[in-house]
């Protein structure tokens, strides 16, 4: 972890230290962005287990996760349920309005929100959050909208990198790691 964190710009680490909540897209961030349909038209998705651990680590540290997905699927709903994400929104066309509504509902500031997204519908959220992040395989034209690009592609643990960055910058990552060490 120290290897990649040393390459994160100081201002990004400082912004990550102020994060109190995280908004995230799913397709192209938690997944590789591919859509898989079975013979009956059902949709399946492959999620990277590291992203799930990142979600758990953030929640355990008191940092809430908000899912805002333009798509809706049983697989996505199941994954959010498994991870204990209570604030999950599916089939959302105006992601910024959704994010602003959540901020208002809980008395949160967008300046303390990290948002990770990978495509055009995410730009408004990326533009209004305190820390804007995209996976390595998002379109290049999004790079002017974000503070940081993860070292991996969506579906390869991109959310976990954001999670670890936030926890590291807040001095919480070592505490999480220590819980898993045997004595």
């Amino acid at each position: 972890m120290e290897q990649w964190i040393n390459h994160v710009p100081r201002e990004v680490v400082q912004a990550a230290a102020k994060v109190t909540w995280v908004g995230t897209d799913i397709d192209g961030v938690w997944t590789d962005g591919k859509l898989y349909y079975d013979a009956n038209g059902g949709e399946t998705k492959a999620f990277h287990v590291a992203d799930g651990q990142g979600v758990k680590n953030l929640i355990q540290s008191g940092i809430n996760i908000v899912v805002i997905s333009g798509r809706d699927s049983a697989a996505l709903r199941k994954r959010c349920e498994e991870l204990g994400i209570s604030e999950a929104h599916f089939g959302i066309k105006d992601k910024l309005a959704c994010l602003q509504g959540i901020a208002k509902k809980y008395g949160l500031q967008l300046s303390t929100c990290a948002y990770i997204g990978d495509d055009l519908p995410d730009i408004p959220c990326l533009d209004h959050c305190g820390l804007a992040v995209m996976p390595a395989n998002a379109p290049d034209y999004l790079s002017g909208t974000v503070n940081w690009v993860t070292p991996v592609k969506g579906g390869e643990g991109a959310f976990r990198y954001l999670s670890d960055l936030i926890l590291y910058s807040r001095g919480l990552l070592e505490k999480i790691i220590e819980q898993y060490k045997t004595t």
Side-chain angles (χ1 to χ4, degrees):
M1 199 274 302
E2 285 297 322
Q3 296 172 347
W4 70 265
I5 199 75
N6 292 331
H7 300 287
V8 177
R10 172 185 241 164
E11 62 271 11
V12 172
V13 174
Q14 291 170 340
K18 297 173 185 174
V19 169
T20 61
W21 61 301
V22 178
T24 179
D25 180 32
I26 297 296
D27 292 314
V29 176
W30 291 22
T31 74
D32 62 8
K34 296 176 183 170
L35 299 176
Y36 301 90
Y37 294 98
D38 63 24
N40 299 320
E43 187 175 328
T44 61
K45 296 183 183 291
F47 297 99
H48 199 293
V49 70
D51 291 333
Q53 185 64 50
V55 167
K56 290 177 183 180
N57 293 346
L58 286 173
I59 291 172
Q60 178 183 341
S61 299
I63 298 168
N64 290 317
I65 312 297
V66 174
V67 168
I68 303 176
S69 178
R71 296 187 56 81
D72 190 358
S73 72
L76 173 53
R77 287 178 179 268
K78 178 68 174 169
R79 188 64 175 142
C80 289
E81 181 184 319
E82 284 176 346
L83 295 172
I85 299 172
S86 58
E87 203 61 65
H89 304 267
F90 313 102
I92 302 299
K93 301 300 177 217
D94 186 344
K95 292 182 176 188
L96 179 58
C98 184
L99 194 68
Q100 289 170 325
I102 293 163
K104 185 176 181 180
K105 178 180 176 180
Y106 294 105
L108 301 168
Q109 300 297 316
L110 290 180
S111 62
T112 65
C113 179
Y115 187 89
I116 183 167
D118 74 309
D119 214 338
L120 296 171
D122 299 304
I123 289 176
C125 293
L126 294 167
D127 280 344
H128 286 84
C129 289
L131 178 61
V133 179
M134 70 181 221
N137 60 325
D140 289 340
Y141 50 79
L142 256 66
S143 64
T145 307
V146 300
N147 306 103
W148 185 55
V149 178
T150 65
V152 298
K153 298 175 182 177
E156 295 180 3
F159 187 87
R160 176 62 175 275
Y161 274 90
L162 173 58
S163 170
D164 282 358
L165 170 65
I166 293 166
L167 294 170
Y168 172 83
S169 69
R170 295 185 57 146
L172 301 171
L173 187 57
E174 283 301 319
K175 182 179 175 183
I176 296 285
I177 294 168
E178 286 299 319
Q179 293 176 9
Y180 290 91
K181 290 185 177 178
T182 57
T183 55

